[in-house]
Amino acid sequence: MTKSNAQAPLTAAHPVRVQSMTKQYPNGKLAVEDICFELSPGTFFVLLGPSGSGKTTMLRCLAGIERLSGGRIEIGGRAVAAPSIHLPPEQRELAMVFQDYALWPHLCARDNVAFALKRRGVHREEARRRAEILLGRLGIGALCQRFPSELSGGEQQRVGLARALIGDTGLLLCDEPLSNLDAALREQMRVEISSLVREAGTTTIYITHDQAEAFALADRIGVLEHGRLVQLADPETIYAAPATPFVARFTGLAGELAVRIAGRAPTGEVEIHLDAGTNPVRLLATPGEGLDRHTGAGLLLVRPAAVSLAEPGGTGCQLLGKVTDVAFRGVGYEHAVVLVDGTPLSGIFSPRRARRGDNVGVALRPNGCLAFAAGTSTSSTAIGR
Ligand code: ADP
């Protein structure tokens, strides 16, 4: 933690290696399949996917709560799960932060945290002293003596986080720890988790279905779809070069346009033609993964950052539409627009407020407009990207 509170770590941050991890439940459901990834020590890895994509199953397999059906997991260079190996959670040198806090109801905040150290052989008084320091660091030092039932959700989650971090275990697993908190507290806790975990240097695997949380926290993001890892990359790459339309949709689009792909421009961008309802429009876009030399029917996926409002008929105006919604966002306004051909676009940011019903121009930038061939499979085997 901070220099003045520093304790010699009991364990250094662990590397993690997962090979062909597969889990089939007894009812036959193949929840995760052939998952492969490697994390260097200290990486903050976020597993992102919709409900039912296999995030919890993966985390439970890593923790040792579930047995693998196939594959291998190494934590800190040691096999903890393999065809003939299954170490229980307490032998894996990891700590967990849970969605529902999972504190001992009969222990006060300090003893909930100290318990994790006492289990590792640290003397009771020393464990309590260190627990108090860490709870103070998390802003709830004054609440040390309170029981979980006397703490708010955010305070309980801070206790949960302190309990997971105090032992300096080499791997931290986080099961949607912010999902039960309200929006303002979620943002505050996100910042606290990010800074505490990075200060501690722990390798972290964090699951969420919230792309904004994933982008804000992660060094690396793994996107899960139907139990398969469809892309593994840093947040910037996932945003700029999603491996599939599914990844693009799940990580935030303003909208989708049916287009014709005419060919490559000399700059490497893709030349797009679309019938915008009034007159044909030509645009440049970024080639999506696997587009190669495809021409013909295409799909243009538009990131919110690639679209802006323009004066109808003015320079930069490529498409025409009508404003259907305006939301004030503090630093400016987010608009929803329906184009004259009926295509909806949303999340269009402007510092200027347009009114509902206004006719507006829409400008698209090539960077953030991603062209895929029409009918591109939503799945991919782009593991390891
Ligand atoms: P997520 O955490 O992304 O919502 P889960 O890992 O909970 O996904 O679930 C992945 C799939 O496995 C889902 O289809 C879910 O219904 C199924 N599943 C989860 N737990 C079990 C179980 N114990 N037995 C059978 N199927 C399960």
Side-chain angles (χ1 to χ4, degrees):
M1 317 291 103
T2 53
K3 280 274 184 292
S4 56
N5 305 334
Q7 305 292 334
L10 300 181
T11 318
H14 285 320
V16 176
R17 188 155 184 243
V18 171
Q19 290 172 297
S20 298
M21 176 164 84
T22 298
K23 174 66 187 178
Q24 186 166 31
Y25 284 110
N27 67 356
K29 173 72 194 176
L30 198 53
V32 294
E33 193 182 355
D34 200 23
I35 303 283
C36 303
F37 63 86
E38 285 185 33
L39 305 178
S40 51
T43 305
F44 199 123
F45 181 51
V46 175
L47 279 166
L48 174 69
S51 175
S53 59
K55 304 181 296 294
T56 308
T57 302
M58 270 186 71
L59 208 69
R60 289 168 66 87
C61 288
L62 286 157
I65 300 164
E66 296 286 352
R67 275 178 185 270
L68 294 190
S69 310
R72 180 181 176 89
I73 301 172
E74 289 174 21
I75 298 175
R78 190 170 59 123
V80 298
S84 55
I85 301 170
H86 177 79
L87 292 192
E90 63 276 12
Q91 288 177 26
R92 293 194 179 195
E93 288 182 5
L94 51 83
M96 276 190 86
V97 183
F98 299 92
Q99 209 173 105
D100 60 1
Y101 324 130
L103 303 177
W104 295 108
H106 62 288
L107 295 181
C108 67
R110 179 197 59 194
D111 289 350
N112 258 286
V113 179
F115 184 77
L117 276 183
K118 278 192 277 175
R119 253 191 6 198
R120 303 182 63 152
V122 176
H123 187 269
R124 193 172 70 167
E125 288 316 312
E126 172 62 8
R128 283 182 164 170
R129 191 186 68 80
R130 284 163 63 176
E132 280 175 15
I133 291 171
L134 186 52
L135 287 168
R137 171 94 177 71
L138 276 156
I140 51 168
L143 309 180
C144 272
Q145 310 278 358
R146 290 215 196 152
F147 290 95
S149 61
E150 299 167 327
L151 298 170
S152 71
E155 289 159 357
Q156 288 186 64
Q157 196 52 293
R158 285 191 174 85
V159 178
L161 184 60
R163 183 182 56 183
L165 286 172
I166 193 135
D168 285 316
T169 45
L171 176 62
L172 179 66
L173 303 180
C174 298
D175 177 7
E176 306 221 28
L178 308 183
S179 61
N180 288 335
L181 306 178
D182 62 52
L185 195 55
R186 202 154 55 219
E187 184 54 19
Q188 194 184 335
M189 283 294 293
R190 181 193 67 66
V191 173
E192 284 176 17
I193 289 181
S194 179
S195 52
L196 272 169
V197 161
R198 287 195 162 85
E199 231 174 273
T202 315
T203 309
T204 303
I205 302 178
Y206 183 109
I207 64 174
T208 182
H209 61 273
D210 181 333
Q211 51 96 0
E213 202 171 298
F215 281 140
L217 282 168
D219 299 320
R220 310 268 296 159
I221 295 178
V223 183
L224 278 173
E225 181 189 11
H226 300 314
R228 297 189 70 105
L229 202 52
V230 291
Q231 190 166 15
L232 179 62
D234 56 76
E236 291 81 0
T237 303
I238 301 255
Y239 193 80
T244 66
F246 167 82
V247 175
R249 290 184 184 115
F250 197 65
T251 51
L253 289 180
E256 305 185 16
L257 299 165
V259 296
R260 200 163 62 74
I261 296 171
R264 284 291 168 106
T267 51
E269 287 158 329
V270 193
E271 198 178 316
I272 298 289
H273 293 182
L274 74 144
D275 175 5
T278 44
N279 52 325
V281 171
R282 305 170 81 118
L283 305 166
L284 289 176
T286 304
E289 181 74 19
L291 186 70
D292 300 323
R293 299 272 141 200
H294 171 89
T295 54
L299 181 65
L300 191 68
L301 303 179
V302 182
R303 292 291 196 196
V307 52
S308 53
L309 296 183
E311 280 302 316
T315 50
C317 165
Q318 292 153 323
L319 304 169
L320 294 173
K322 200 180 269 295
V323 175
T324 55
D325 188 53
V326 188
F328 179 50
R329 297 288 184 213
V331 284
Y333 301 88
E334 255 178 39
H335 299 82
V337 167
V338 62
L339 300 178
V340 286
D341 70 348
T343 306
L345 293 175
S346 58
I348 307 171
F349 181 80
S350 171
R352 175 182 75 81
R353 178 179 205 132
R355 287 184 315 243
R356 277 191 181 77
D358 277 358
N359 290 317
V360 286
V362 170
L364 298 179
R365 274 182 292 284
N367 193 358
C369 283
L370 304 151
F372 287 87
T376 303
S377 157
T378 61
S379 296
S380 154
T381 50
I383 296 164
R385 281 171 42 89

